[in-house]
Amino acid sequence: MAVTVKLMASIVSFFGLMSFILGVIAENKKPAAGTPVPGKDSVTCDFPADRTVALGYLSAAFLIASTVVGYLSLFYPYRGKSVHYGVLFKSTSFAVFFNIAVFSTGLAATMLLWPTITELLHLTRNVHLDLKYTCPTAKTGLLGGGAFLSLESSLFWLVALMLAENAREDFLDENKDDKGDVEVSFHADIAIQE
């Protein structure tokens, strides 16, 4: 089976959608707070059993998978015809959407991992010397926001993929010789522009 733009777009979409779904479920399953159990000199927090940490890490893993496939799909040599990355970045719209995709991915990863790690720390460090400690959980809303940003970043990778395909086709059409074969000469093309 040949690797096509549609296949890569489907994989990016699937991973982005899975990251979104798992992030939303993690946000909905997160308990509001734990129950403080007072002791002699400390308070032990008893948290209800939940899968927030596992779902948060899975959501982040699918975000990373979507990003890696999205990035690789931009520069993959489809139909055996590779195009220098400089050709793609000549397109202003491609460069803009590429940078937005990278930025939104970083923001999504931050918003998914921050509450997930915080929740894990609350669960593992549950004994506190402050007798008035209320046993909070991670900040509410960050996992859900990270899930939506994860979906958004996968959509930006898809837009960048479409723009890369357009730039690739335009470049290959410009470099056809008289026989109809594609003559891909990156060094000659760069030398002419200088």
Side-chain angles (χ1 to χ4, degrees), residues 47 53 115-126 128:
F47 293 99
V53 173
T116 303
I117 293 170
T118 303
E119 188 72 14
L120 180 63
L121 290 175
H122 284 303
L123 293 174
T124 56
R125 298 177 182 176
N126 62 346
H128 304 279

Side-chain angles (χ1 to χ4, degrees), residues 53-133:
V53 173
L55 291 171
Y57 281 130
L58 280 173
S59 179
F62 276 109
L63 169 66
I64 291 169
S66 173
T67 301
V68 168
V69 173
Y71 179 83
L72 294 176
S73 69
L74 299 177
F75 306 109
Y76 186 81
Y78 297 101
R79 296 181 299 275
K81 300 170 187 167
S82 63
V83 175
H84 191 265
Y85 68 90
V87 172
L88 299 177
F89 282 101
K90 282 187 211 174
S91 169
T92 305
S93 55
F94 172 79
V96 167
F97 277 96
F98 177 82
N99 287 319
I100 291 172
V102 170
F103 177 75
S104 64
T105 298
L107 193 57
T110 301
M111 288 184 71
L112 287 174
L113 290 174
W114 180 11
T116 303
I117 293 170
T118 303
E119 188 72 14
L120 180 63
L121 290 175
H122 284 303
L123 293 174
T124 56
R125 298 177 182 176
N126 62 346
V127 177
H128 304 279
L129 297 177
D130 182 9
L131 297 176
K132 296 179 182 178
Y133 193 74

